[in-house]
Amino acid sequence: MGSQVSKQVERRKAIKTEKKTLIDLKVSDGCDFPGCDHRPQDRKNWMSSLNPEKLHVNQIVWPGTHDSATNKIGIPLISRPFAQCQSLSIYHQLVRGARVLDIRVQEDRRVCHGILLTYSVDVVIEDIKKFLSETESEIIILEIRTEFGHEDPPEFDKYLIEKLGDYLIHQDDHVFGKTVAELLPKRVICIWKPRNSPQPKHGSPLWSAGYLKDNWIDTDLPSTKFESNMKHLSEQPPVSSRKYFYRVENTVTPQPDNPVLCVKPVTNRIHGYARLFITESFSKGYADRLQIFSTDFIDEDFVDACVGLTYARVEGKANI
């Protein structure tokens, strides 16, 4: 019992120290990068406002959401705080400016996060289609994977193709060098990551797992995650020369050995440091590698930071 208490004391000290590290870094370095002052007038149509004929896919800094479809997961006030990573519906995330969705499914096509369940993936698809019907030039990256420990939903690839149909941008390495206008009217890059079923093949309406990479570090220590994200970003080739999407997740997650198990207070330890991460990536010379940037509980400022850097790239103020 004594050793357990001692361990918890040490954990609390580590968290406090790591929080201070990020605060001090923000004070010393600020949050200044090309495009940092840019604010999209209409987040729902921010790609349209950057000129789809000039905006190349590999110039975009894509704002993403982590565990996107968890706004209604579990039981309110009981199990939901332990698994909820977003408070908005998929539709309202897209309206706010998110353009990358992280969806986990189980055998019966219900969305899940670990052992907790929520609505059917049909809800996700309908929200996406509603958003697409209300916009003209916004491109979405939809990542759907079978949650760890579950089996793939039967014939799920056929389901996705049937539901999203003409919106799907087919798997093709040339997409990365194209402009948004060149892809239209197709609007969705759907990356299907089954556990056991065959991967989508080149030319398929769906994209295979290797086209969306990340280096997930499971920790609740904010500075540890921040530095790990930076290290892994530094190891990537520039966006201009790679044929896959790379994601950095500005999140930390609850750990079983820590008494704080609710997502929001834990992820808040790093949530406000997205702009600092972009600033630091510039100071270290890694900004030309930043592409997908994801978060829990997405807000306007996170979207604005990503759109601002995208704007700077399009205008030639941030070379890639």
Side-chain angles (χ1 to χ4, degrees), residues 196-256:
N196 299 309
S197 305
Q199 287 281 333
K201 291 182 170 58
H202 191 75
S204 163
L206 306 178
W207 294 60
S208 56
Y211 281 101
L212 177 49
K213 301 180 182 181
D214 52 30
N215 287 282
W216 176 256
I217 304 296
D218 192 15
T219 181
D220 62 356
L221 298 173
S223 180
T224 294
K225 185 62 174 280
F226 190 98
E227 293 302 326
S228 170
N229 281 344
M230 193 65 70
K231 174 182 177 293
H232 288 300
L233 184 65
S234 75
E235 295 164 352
Q236 296 298 314
V239 291
S240 57
S241 64
R242 64 177 186 245
K243 303 297 184 186
Y244 59 87
F245 296 100
Y246 182 75
R247 174 171 53 202
V248 173
E249 305 227 38
N250 190 60
T251 59
V252 287
T253 47
Q255 299 300 303

Side-chain angles (χ1 to χ4, degrees), residues 43-255:
R43 294 183 186 89
K44 184 176 180 179
N45 291 284
W46 66 261
M47 287 186 181
S48 301
S49 69
L50 295 180
N51 189 348
E53 294 184 357
K54 283 178 63 179
L55 178 60
H56 286 77
V57 168
N58 59 14
Q59 290 178 312
I60 299 169
V61 181
W62 304 73
T65 51
H66 169 244
D67 261 309
S68 305
T70 53
N71 57 308
K72 292 187 176 180
I73 201 162
I75 303 168
L77 304 176
I78 299 175
S79 58
R80 185 169 297 170
F82 303 109
Q84 184 183 42
C85 298
Q86 305 297 332
S87 54
L88 299 175
S89 69
I90 294 296
Y91 172 76
H92 285 103
Q93 289 173 40
L94 294 169
V95 168
R96 183 162 286 187
R99 293 294 178 267
V100 182
L101 302 172
D102 159 22
I103 309 296
R104 292 97 182 277
V105 295
Q106 62 167 26
E107 298 86 347
D108 63 359
R109 296 182 184 167
R110 287 180 72 186
V111 177
C112 56
H113 183 189
I115 61 171
L116 294 180
L117 301 175
T118 183
Y119 40 69
S120 163
V121 75
D122 288 338
V123 175
V124 174
I125 300 295
E126 290 309 309
D127 271 13
I128 290 171
K129 289 168 81 169
K130 180 177 192 293
F131 173 77
L132 293 173
S133 73
E134 296 172 357
T135 56
E136 293 183 356
S137 304
E138 307 303 301
I139 305 291
I140 297 167
I141 299 174
L142 170 62
E143 177 199 33
I144 302 190
R145 55 179 141 158
T146 303
E147 181 73 317
F148 182 76
H150 292 278
E151 295 300 317
D152 300 322
E155 299 191 321
F156 197 61
D157 53 347
K158 293 179 183 176
Y159 162 84
L160 291 171
I161 294 167
E162 178 189 326
K163 288 289 184 179
L164 292 167
D166 293 339
Y167 285 123
L168 292 172
I169 298 166
H170 288 215
Q171 183 181 148
D172 180 358
D173 288 358
H174 292 103
V175 165
F176 296 94
K178 290 186 175 182
T179 64
V180 168
E182 287 175 307
L183 297 177
L184 299 175
K186 297 180 184 297
R187 311 271 300 281
V188 179
I189 295 171
C190 183
I191 300 169
W192 164 226
K193 295 183 173 181
R195 292 193 65 216
N196 299 309
S197 305
Q199 287 281 333
K201 291 182 170 58
H202 191 75
S204 163
L206 306 178
W207 294 60
S208 56
Y211 281 101
L212 177 49
K213 301 180 182 181
D214 52 30
N215 287 282
W216 176 256
I217 304 296
D218 192 15
T219 181
D220 62 356
L221 298 173
S223 180
T224 294
K225 185 62 174 280
F226 190 98
E227 293 302 326
S228 170
N229 281 344
M230 193 65 70
K231 174 182 177 293
H232 288 300
L233 184 65
S234 75
E235 295 164 352
Q236 296 298 314
V239 291
S240 57
S241 64
R242 64 177 186 245
K243 303 297 184 186
Y244 59 87
F245 296 100
Y246 182 75
R247 174 171 53 202
V248 173
E249 305 227 38
N250 190 60
T251 59
V252 287
T253 47
Q255 299 300 303

